[in-house]
Amino acid sequence: MRLHSALAAVGGSLVLVLAVPASASAAMGQFRYSYQTADGYDAVGFINNPQSRTCIDLQRAGSDGTSAAYAPKNLTDSTATVFLEAGCRGDVFYSLRPGAGASERLLVRSVVFS
């Protein structure tokens, strides 16, 4: 009888483990970028622990008619692929390995993390 109860408990535990969805993965660290405010001042934007495999449009980076962000710095533990266009679209993109940064000449509007 004990063996039957133990097997039932193990089977029930296995069902619970399989039924609980896996937690979403995120890149650990911070992604930084510079942008120019509507008043013409330089500012820094950042994303903490960004979601992996999800396109992120950079705030204040071209979506409202302003210029693109620039000088991205990938201080996360994942590769970041930055795009000139919003929505991670277009043929103009660049990959930044973890810990890498780019010059002010690299313009970006969106990013996705591996």
Side-chain angles (χ1 to χ4, degrees):
M1 198 54 139
R2 286 185 189 176
L3 181 60
H4 182 66
S5 297
L7 287 175
V10 169
S13 297
L14 184 59
V15 168
L16 283 175
V17 168
L18 294 176
V20 175
S23 62
S25 63
M28 298 304 294
Q30 189 177 71
F31 180 80
R32 296 180 187 174
Y33 57 95
S34 298
Y35 64 95
Q36 198 166 59
T37 67
D39 295 328
Y41 296 105
D42 289 329
V44 176
F46 59 90
I47 305 167
N48 290 319
N49 303 323
Q51 185 68 37
S52 297
R53 295 178 196 57
T54 300
C55 181
I56 302 169
D57 286 338
L58 302 179
Q59 293 183 358
R60 300 175 203 82
S63 60
D64 58 355
T66 60
S67 59
Y70 55 91
K73 292 176 181 50
N74 182 17
L75 305 177
T76 72
D77 60 356
S78 296
T79 298
T81 303
V82 295
F83 293 81
L84 178 58
E85 293 184 35
C88 299
R89 295 184 314 263
D91 296 333
V92 181
F93 60 90
Y94 187 80
S95 292
L96 292 168
R97 70 183 190 287
S103 76
E104 292 182 358
R105 296 184 318 177
L106 182 60
L107 303 178
V108 298
R109 287 191 173 90
S110 59
V111 61
V112 64
F113 295 86
S114 62

